[in-house]
Amino acid sequence: MNEIIADVLVVGGGMAAGWAAISAAKTGARVVLADKGFMGTSGVTAPAGPNHWWVPPEAELRKAAVERRLESAFGLADPVWMERIIDITWQSIPEIAPWYPFSGDGKGGTFRAGLRGPEYLRALRQYATKLGVTILDQHPVLELLARQDGSIGGVAGYDRLNDRPWNARTGAVILATGGCAFRSGLLGSHNNTGDGYLMGVEAGAELSGMEFCISYSISPLWLSTRTLPYTGARYFNAEGQLLSIPGWDKPRDYLCKLADAFRAGPVYADLHEAPAGLPAVVREIQPATVAAFERRGLDMFQDRFEVKLFGEGTIRGIGGLRIVNDVCATSVPGLFAAGDAATREHIAGATSGGGAQNAAWALSSGVLSGTGAAHEAKKRRKTLDRSEKLKPLGGAGLRPSGAVKAVDRKAAIQTAQKETLDLDKALWRNETGLKSSASLLDKAWSEIRTSLHGEKLETVSARETAAMVATARWCNASALVRKESRGMHVREDYPQQNPDYQSRIITGGLDRITPYLEKLRTTEAVS
Amino acid sequence: MITEILPDRCNSCNACVVVCPDHVLDMAKDGQLPVIARPDQCQTCFLCELYCSEDAIYVAVDVPRSELKNDPLGNIRRDYGWDGHEEDPLKNFWQLGGLLREGVMISSARHALQQSDDKESEKKI
């Protein structure tokens, strides 16, 4: 088997992965980017079009932007990190000008804050290629490989188009695998199955903020789309009565009222009161959203349509791999995390950063991890080509601990999805419900860990299944430990915010999950 | 879900096979068509259509193309401006943020009005 040699290997193919590869390649490092799908269409940015947190380099403006955001971070964000990502974002986006068709801002200038997904990812791909990055499409990474000293020295994966395994020996690895929406149907999230969380934890890394995974986006029942058209939507019940639903400026109230409505029956929407300027430009801004209606034979601005809330999990949630320094290193030497694969608490605290802030994070954490990983890899360069034996770290789905048996993967994924995203469970958490979820998820995990194994291409979905169930367990266990309500995490049994919990919940572990409050540094096992 | 690869248009370049984020397709062999091998993995993102220079793919949204009044074949590439007809395909993209916020204000104002109406009717009772 041919072994790929690289200084830095980036796992993933979205915004964070793209910027990580670019930033590492700028230092002169040999960079390989391996994506499960195609760098250009993979992940949630590609079919979308993110606005970025965009504040000009004027001290007062930036200070005000950070202060405004700190107010809704519930004490868990860091102003230094916020300033850092605003600045990196501002400096980086203009770099893609040779490959991105920037246009006007309506005021005679150039609009750079927002970028349309397919063109953005295409530009990152071209920029990375120009800098010498090797891009491996359809090359899912299945597991990390460790050196004798425990640091990360490579990856092993499966080449989907040629139906054969592949591996790489590298100086450092960046996990930019995105978040996990548990196959909710959320647009672009089908391959965001939490792979990076699982691989990271198997290597000994920790997660942070996994309890903050309560976020949903509204779409037509039959297809998740971007949500621009629906911000002004009117909602109706099955009898055609207009429902009283708060605006998106009150996200919690909006979600709870909609959840009430869904409990009573199907919910419908129309766009009769959408902004007057929207119909003329929506086809340009979000072509795929128009297609969702047009190809169903509907007039999106006239017809009433049934809607659904699609769970975003940790995508618009906040948690992810814990990072331990300002170049997005995890606690495992040689392993870095960027984008939704990393925790975004530093910039968002306990409420969603929304698209703009998350986009700035994906970009900036990509840039920072790229620099950090390249630096780390340089130290390893002399030893890189030697044939030190690397230890494969993958467990669940790859190396079952017991006899291989057929596992109902669909049922396992459904359990992960339901226990994490079900509206009633998620919006009103309590000890009893979380414990019952824990027991169902533990059972699913135990079966996967003991018996699940896939041959050849099936290995990919076996690992995805394991990663989704593992992610659901970390989310649930973290929610159990946070015995208060803070930001998007709301406990029925602890409705108040409690100053004792003004700290991050760190978790990790596989068969036994070990969440603890960061400031206490003591492990509290969940039984 | 991707439902059609049109034999009279497809040139078997396999671009769709490579660009699909979810590995729905298998490579075309010997000048045949790519195979829709794993349709259950299709997330209806339309990006295979965007990357198909021949407009040879149709991604349906539950309804077959033949049942629609206007045939949407090729619309994705045209709407994104990837077919070359539009010199400045992102000329209105700057309006995204403003339109989002305007929608939020509309729903927020509507809700405030509904609440004050509710209070009015409570008073009357």
Side-chain angles (χ1 to χ4, degrees):
Chain A
M1 184 165 43
N2 281 339
E3 187 177 63
I4 292 161
I5 304 282
D7 291 314
V8 175
L9 189 124
V10 182
V11 190
M15 273 178 77
W19 283 108
I22 287 162
S23 149
K26 279 184 190 170
T27 70
R30 291 172 294 180
V31 182
V32 173
L33 178 148
D35 185 53
K36 196 197 278 188
F38 175 78
M39 189 204 178
T41 62
S42 268
V44 288
T45 305
N51 258 327
H52 294 71
W53 206 9
W54 196 245
V55 191
E58 290 167 36
E60 284 307 305
L61 287 176
R62 291 205 170 167
K63 194 164 159 252
V66 168
E67 275 169 9
R68 199 159 51 243
R69 193 54 187 81
L70 272 175
E71 283 167 17
S72 58
F74 295 88
L76 296 185
D78 176 352
V80 177
W81 262 105
M82 289 184 175
E83 282 168 34
R84 188 179 294 144
I85 74 159
I86 290 175
D87 197 54
I88 293 173
T89 301
W90 180 269
Q91 294 197 32
S92 299
I93 288 182
E95 290 177 24
I96 64 170
W99 305 280
Y100 184 88
F102 282 111
S103 188
D105 64 359
K107 292 178 285 204
T110 301
F111 182 65
R112 294 195 181 88
L115 302 166
R116 204 168 62 183
E119 289 82 4
Y120 187 8
L121 270 300
R122 184 180 61 181
L124 290 178
R125 185 181 178 102
Q126 289 169 343
Y127 187 9
T129 303
K130 174 93 188 309
L131 291 168
V133 174
T134 301
I135 296 169
L136 304 175
D137 299 303
Q138 308 291 348
H139 274 59
V141 169
L142 296 171
E143 62 180 329
L144 299 171
L145 309 176
R147 299 188 191 93
Q148 302 303 314
D149 65 3
S151 64
I152 298 306
V155 303
Y158 201 80
D159 172 352
R160 299 206 281 205
L161 298 187
N162 294 300
D163 218 359
R164 64 185 179 206
W166 68 280
N167 63 18
R169 182 178 290 270
T170 70
V173 172
I174 300 171
L175 293 171
T177 42
C180 178
F182 307 98
R183 291 270 157 87
S184 69
L186 177 77
L187 180 63
S189 75
H190 189 85
N191 61 11
N192 290 148
T193 46
D195 311 357
Y197 304 146
L198 178 58
M199 290 190 280
V201 172
E202 284 173 339
E206 292 178 307
L207 300 155
S208 180
M210 296 301 281
E211 70 277 28
F212 302 122
C213 55
I214 312 298
S215 187
Y216 296 82
S217 64
I218 194 91
S219 276
L221 174 74
W222 60 87
L223 185 63
S224 163
T225 73
R226 300 312 298 164
T227 53
L228 164 67
Y230 320 127
T231 55
R234 301 191 300 176
Y235 296 98
F236 302 87
N237 62 16
E239 286 75 47
Q241 286 168 314
L242 181 65
L243 300 171
S244 179
I245 307 288
W248 289 20
D249 50 334
K250 298 196 175 75
R252 168 91 193 161
D253 297 346
Y254 165 80
L255 264 182
C256 289
K257 281 284 180 203
L258 268 181
D260 289 343
F262 281 113
R263 211 176 295 118
V267 177
Y268 299 83
D270 76 25
L271 305 182
H272 290 194
E273 293 180 7
L278 184 63
V281 296
V282 68
R283 189 182 287 276
E284 175 189 315
I285 298 176
Q286 293 181 353
T289 307
V290 175
F293 289 87
E294 207 163 67
R295 293 179 182 209
R296 177 110 177 169
L298 292 176
D299 181 328
M300 74 184 284
F301 290 102
Q302 287 304 318
D303 295 326
R304 197 172 287 185
F305 51 95
E306 193 171 350
V307 292
K308 177 179 160 181
L309 284 167
F310 289 80
E312 302 231 16
T314 68
I315 290 171
R316 196 163 291 210
I318 295 157
L321 287 160
R322 182 192 196 188
I323 54 174
V324 299
N325 63 15
D326 57 11
V327 289
C328 298
T330 69
S331 57
V332 178
L335 187 64
F336 296 74
D340 292 352
T343 179
R344 284 136 283 163
E345 288 159 297
H346 301 78
I347 56 110
T351 46
S352 168
Q357 220 187 356
N358 283 358
W361 168 259
L363 182 161
S364 308
S365 59
V367 169
L368 292 166
S369 63
T371 320
H375 182 72
E376 174 83 15
K378 286 226 170 84
K379 293 191 279 184
R380 305 263 179 191
R381 207 162 192 182
K382 279 186 192 144
T383 55
L384 188 56
D385 297 325
R386 289 190 197 153
S387 50
E388 179 183 6
K389 193 164 164 47
L390 298 173
K391 183 186 170 202
L393 300 177
L398 283 175
R399 296 178 187 87
S401 59
V404 175
K405 274 191 290 200
V407 172
D408 187 343
R409 278 177 283 171
K410 265 195 188 145
I413 295 168
Q414 266 168 15
T415 302
Q417 191 189 102
K418 188 170 172 227
E419 299 310 312
T420 317
L421 301 180
D422 179 89
L423 285 170
D424 286 343
K425 290 183 205 290
L427 292 174
W428 296 277
R429 286 169 160 168
N430 61 58
E431 186 101 6
T432 316
L434 290 167
K435 280 196 167 154
S436 138
S437 294
S439 127
L440 292 167
L441 290 165
D442 285 349
K443 190 165 164 276
W445 172 260
S446 161
E447 196 186 350
I448 287 168
R449 186 69 194 93
T450 315
S451 314
L452 179 61
H453 180 67
E455 286 293 329
K456 302 185 80 173
L457 187 59
E458 290 283 297
T459 326
V460 179
S461 67
R463 282 294 270 174
E464 290 176 331
T465 306
M468 282 184 271
V469 172
T471 303
R473 289 173 77 227
W474 290 313
C475 292
N476 193 73
S478 302
L480 252 173
V481 168
R482 189 175 282 289
K483 293 179 177 168
E484 62 154 358
S485 293
R486 187 181 294 265
M488 64 167 70
H489 166 76
V490 174
R491 288 278 299 252
E492 255 178 346
D493 42 357
Y494 299 98
Q496 303 301 320
Q497 189 170 309
N498 178 346
D500 292 347
Y501 283 89
Q502 185 156 336
S503 176
R504 295 180 186 139
I505 301 278
I506 310 297
T507 189
L510 292 157
D511 296 329
R512 186 162 164 273
I513 296 182
T514 52
Y516 63 93
L517 200 60
E518 189 176 36
K519 69 178 182 186
L520 300 180
R521 296 268 170 184
T522 50
T523 305
E524 180 187 339
V526 170
S527 50
Chain B
M1 185 188 292
I2 179 170
T3 51
E4 293 179 72
I5 298 177
L6 283 70
D8 54 331
R9 293 185 178 211
C10 175
N11 62 10
S12 308
C13 74
N14 282 318
C16 54
V17 182
V18 176
V19 305
C20 173
D22 299 313
H23 196 213
V24 169
L25 302 152
D26 278 340
M27 290 279 188
K29 286 192 184 118
D30 309 323
Q32 302 288 304
L33 301 180
V35 182
I36 305 174
R38 289 163 293 274
D40 54 316
Q41 292 181 195
C42 176
Q43 60 176 351
T44 315
C45 66
F46 306 107
L47 294 172
C48 54
E49 266 193 60
L50 182 63
Y51 275 86
C52 177
S53 58
E54 306 303 312
D55 288 340
I57 296 177
Y58 185 69
V59 177
V61 181
D62 303 329
V63 178
R65 192 159 56 98
S66 56
E67 290 176 20
L68 295 169
K69 250 186 274 166
N70 302 306
D71 188 351
L73 190 70
N75 274 5
I76 286 289
R77 219 163 54 90
R78 199 150 39 253
D79 289 350
Y80 272 107
W82 282 31
D83 65 345
H85 85 282
E86 172 65 71
E87 262 187 41
D88 189 4
L90 289 160
K91 59 187 179 303
N92 291 302
F93 199 74
W94 62 274
Q95 295 187 42
L96 169 63
L99 287 167
L100 272 171
R101 283 188 292 276
E102 192 183 338
V104 173
M105 280 162 60
I106 290 168
S107 50
S108 194
R110 182 195 307 124
H111 185 245
L113 202 64
Q114 282 172 318
Q115 283 191 312
S116 65
D117 285 354
D118 287 350
K119 276 184 194 150
E120 283 299 311
S121 53
E122 271 170 32
K123 273 183 203 163
K124 280 172 196 161
I125 295 163

